[in-house]
Amino acid sequence: MSKDSITIYDVAREANVSMATVSRVVNGNPNVKPLTRERVLDVITRLDYRPNAVARGLASKRSTTIGVIIPDIANTYFSTLARGIDDVAMMYKYDLILTDSDGDPLKEVRVFNNLLAKQVDGIVLLGHRVTDALRVEIARSRIPVVVAGLLDPDQQVGSVNIDYGNATFDAVSLLTKQNQKIAFVSGPLIDPINEARLAGYEKALKKSGLDFQEHLIFEANYNYKAGLNIAEKIIKSGATAAFVADDQVAAGLLNSLFDQGIKVPEEFELITSNDSIIAQLTRPALSSIMLPIYDLGAVSMRLLTKLINKEEVDKKTIILPYKVKERQSTK
């Protein structure tokens, strides 16, 4: 008998028990006598039996598989989020299918539908916004979807975030103590998360009696190179400080300032917003909003398991706490 052809029936026959008993042993059900459990496990080991996850999924109408869509797996922010998702998924015995959308809205819809074709039980979406095209697919999917680290103003799906508006207000308020011109650097302002950040930025300026100046607002891609490229424009704007919505962008800006002989924080203050490992590796180390990145992933996965199992959920929108950590890039 080949290993590939061994079934639960073969194990039950060899161990002289019912298939239900074998199933209980495989799934860790405690309602099996110790001697019987030991006998079944011995047979499983001898036959090298491996439960067929596909067959179990067909029987239970569950695949015990979760889809995760990430816009950039190389970004430490998203990889840390994914680690939180994976750890909780393993705890609840789910497998992950990780897909990279490359930040492309069309590809995002395509990989979303590919995950549906694989019969996933739910999807965690990471990124920057829920596009209209994706929103249509979510409505058609009939499986739970949770977003982590991005805002869904329509509250169509479950979400896990921090209060980005208040966090930005707190961060920018640090910069207003000694600066009159503070740059705001984010991804596209069409993204709700950046709209919330901009509102926090404006609120901090107003409280400090500073005027909002359009030429101090900059949109950039979420990567290191974008930070390098935008530095010259920020310097020409007359800004002496900047709030940056992405750690890779902040690192690029910091290095470009260094290359141009501008001292941080003596001549230019800088604060970022994700507190990924990048913020701690730069020199000077970057002051940052302490975003609980791992927890955003972990809590989003736990919320998804509750939605899949139709458990009672107090709130589908979960807001986690944050802090602002002052390091060496602010005075």
Side-chain angles (χ1 to χ4, degrees), residues 28-39:
N29 190 314
N31 297 322
V32 180
K33 293 179 180 179
L35 289 176
T36 302
R37 181 185 302 279
E38 185 177 347
R39 186 165 75 251

Side-chain angles (χ1 to χ4, degrees), residues 55-71:
R56 282 194 296 174
L58 290 172
S60 65
K61 297 183 180 179
R62 293 277 182 87
S63 67
T64 63
T65 303
I66 301 297
V68 181
I69 301 176
I70 294 182

Side-chain angles (χ1 to χ4, degrees), residues 1-14 43 46-49:
M1 185 183 299
S2 71
K3 292 180 180 179
D4 292 339
S5 65
I6 294 169
T7 67
I8 191 172
Y9 172 78
D10 299 315
V11 175
R13 184 186 60 202
E14 290 288 320
V43 172
R46 177 161 53 83
L47 297 182
D48 195 19
Y49 168 66

